[in-house]
Amino acid sequence: MNCNKYTVDRFDEGLAILLLKSNENIQLKIPQEQLGSTVNEGDILEIELDEMERIIKFKILEVETKEMKEKVEELINKLKNK
Amino acid sequence: MKNLFRVLIIVVLFLSFFPINESKAASYSDVTPNHRFYEDVMYLLQKGVIKDSSRYGVDNKVTREEVAVMIGKALGLDGTPAKTKFKDVPASLASSGYINAAVDAGIISGHLDGTFKPKDLVTRGQMAIFIARGFNLTIEAKVPYKDVSPSSAAYTYIRKTVHAGITAGFPDGTFKPQDNITRGQLSAFVARSMRLNEPTAKQMKVHFIDVGQGDSILIQSPNGKNMLIDGGTKSAGTKVVSFIKSKGITKLDYVVATHPDADHIGGLISVLNSISVGTFIDSGKSHTTETYYEMLNLIDVKNIPFKVPTAGDKIALDSALNLQVLNSAEASDDTNEASIVLKMTYGKETFLFMGDADTTTEAELVAKYDLKSTVLKAGHHGSSTSTSQLFVNEVKPVTTTLSYGKENSYGHPHSEVVNRLKAAGSKLYNTVDHCDISVLTSGNGHTVSNTCTPTTTPPPATSTAVKIVSKDLSAEIVGIKNTGSTTVDITDWTLVSVSGNQTYKFPSYNLEAGKTVYVTSGPNAKSATGYLKWTTANIWLNSGDPAKLLNAQGAVVSELQ
């Protein structure tokens, strides 16, 4: 069993491109439909994968996503107003 | 008192020739746009040699002092009024400085009696002498004029102005060297001479760096400024940095992150860590990836000015360029839609950098801007989400570049986009077949160089998805299905009846994902949607006849016994 955090970088041609949160050099490409329709670009997910890198289960880490969004927005505003 | 009065009169006269009224627009009433000296006069105005006024006096005769002033200004000589050696040119004369400078430079000489005669009129022959001396013309050409004698003082000088292409003479084959020169003629002589000394147009280079699946574009402007648009994925960062350094660049004046997707901004981390950046331009569309946060953090730590542009903004990279932001949508839900789109014009060349902007954005831009461009960086790696027919019709690109990775998971580029651009007559370059692509231009036409050339194109990975799925020998119908998930271009593919060795070549045809096309022959052969007509002759042997499908390169894609 393999359980890790990923950020949804983008959806592209029916694929979801997920970046491993601890090392974003590592990306996971899975068919978008495996995530259903509730997941958006930018969501941080906790995903359990099997040996074939297929999703066993996943959940959206809503609090973590919201916190990251706020952290980034804050930095953008700081840079804009420098 | 009397003397002062005389000086005032001279100054007033002088001012009437060189009016200082700058309040009006550049619109001399006597030099309208269709006047034969209009461009020359406007050129001098733009260069600050003459001043704006309501009237130019284009047909007025010109005096020696006026010539000294105009040539002096054209050459950038010091015109500060000064004492001269001429008894008729006092320091109080406004033109005294330029007269002094022109005499010192050996352009005009005074008279033996110690006078300069500043108010004497100048002939066309004398003008040739002043121009040839002032602009250091040395090479002589044969004089085509019948009224210029080899024994005249102006002869060799007129030969020099002919070689330099400054004098055109009159339609009747004369030069009229004894005629007094007019202000319009003088302006033409001086403007043409100044243009000779202008540096030849400088070269600009635009590099589409091969970063695999992603985008990274380096611009080296005509006056040596540098801009990077995107940096590919994180793993491409090292390549991008070494590419930039290989061009001798130590500072990027601008870096643009078109939108925050990892295949566009990842490599910018290495860039920010290794190369000095003047201003960072970001779409302002936020993202929750560590990569985006790390990028912002580096901009913060290094104190790099950070700008979020709005559509219509100009970027002051280089005064030789017109660089405009056509799209930037930080409020967009979708990262691709947020893409900063840039249009860059240098002379007659226009580059359009689309980021990952999609067909919706394209349609908005078509409605708002003139998009006609010589070089297009097609949006979204050649995906059919971008580069619509409507858009291609507007842009009419001479050259199109597509940035994508070999055998990428997305099926980029899509064949309909490639076919659409080809049909529009655009030359196509891509980072898989051509690696790093460099477009060079001096503002009038462009050339493309690339670091690799296509090897024999292997059959696209998707072609195996196209299969012969049915063969009805008596009805003479063969079904060919695209079992894959993306459209396959089967133009110039061939279907072979093995027993009879008869071959059918497909016309221009895109077989969409999941669709079947039927190739028909025999008396019931038909052309209709989904049906292609081979021939009305019977092709297939009813006793059994294997079928083979070959792609455009001649490789067997599918067989059915």
Side-chain angles (χ1 to χ4, degrees), chain A residues 7-17 19-25 27 29 41-44 64-73 75-82, chain B residues 213 233-235 260-263 282 284-293 296-297 299-301 303-304 306 308 330 333-336 380-381 383-385 409-410 412 414:
Chain A
T7 308
V8 182
D9 183 60
R10 64 192 188 275
F11 297 122
D12 201 345
E13 311 292 355
L15 295 173
I17 292 81
L19 304 181
L20 183 66
K21 195 146 175 68
S22 53
N23 175 8
E24 291 193 345
N25 276 315
Q27 45 170 272
K29 284 176 258 184
E41 285 183 343
D43 284 352
I44 299 170
E64 203 161 322
T65 302
K66 186 166 169 278
E67 281 170 359
M68 187 65 184
K69 267 185 188 157
E70 284 165 5
K71 191 168 104 168
V72 170
E73 293 284 353
L75 186 48
I76 289 180
N77 283 330
K78 179 186 170 191
L79 290 170
K80 272 183 178 176
N81 297 313
K82 252 189 179 181
Chain B
Q213 183 70 15
T233 56
K234 237 180 176 179
S235 51
D261 287 352
D263 55 333
D282 189 76
K285 166 73 185 162
S286 75
H287 207 347
T288 52
T289 58
E290 296 296 330
T291 305
Y292 185 64
Y293 187 73
L296 294 181
N297 221 10
I299 295 165
D300 187 21
V301 168
N303 229 353
I304 299 166
F306 180 86
V308 175
E330 61 179 310
D333 290 340
D334 181 273
T335 51
N336 284 350
H380 199 195
H381 323 288
S383 167
S384 56
T385 59
S409 332
Y410 314 97
H412 295 157
H414 289 152

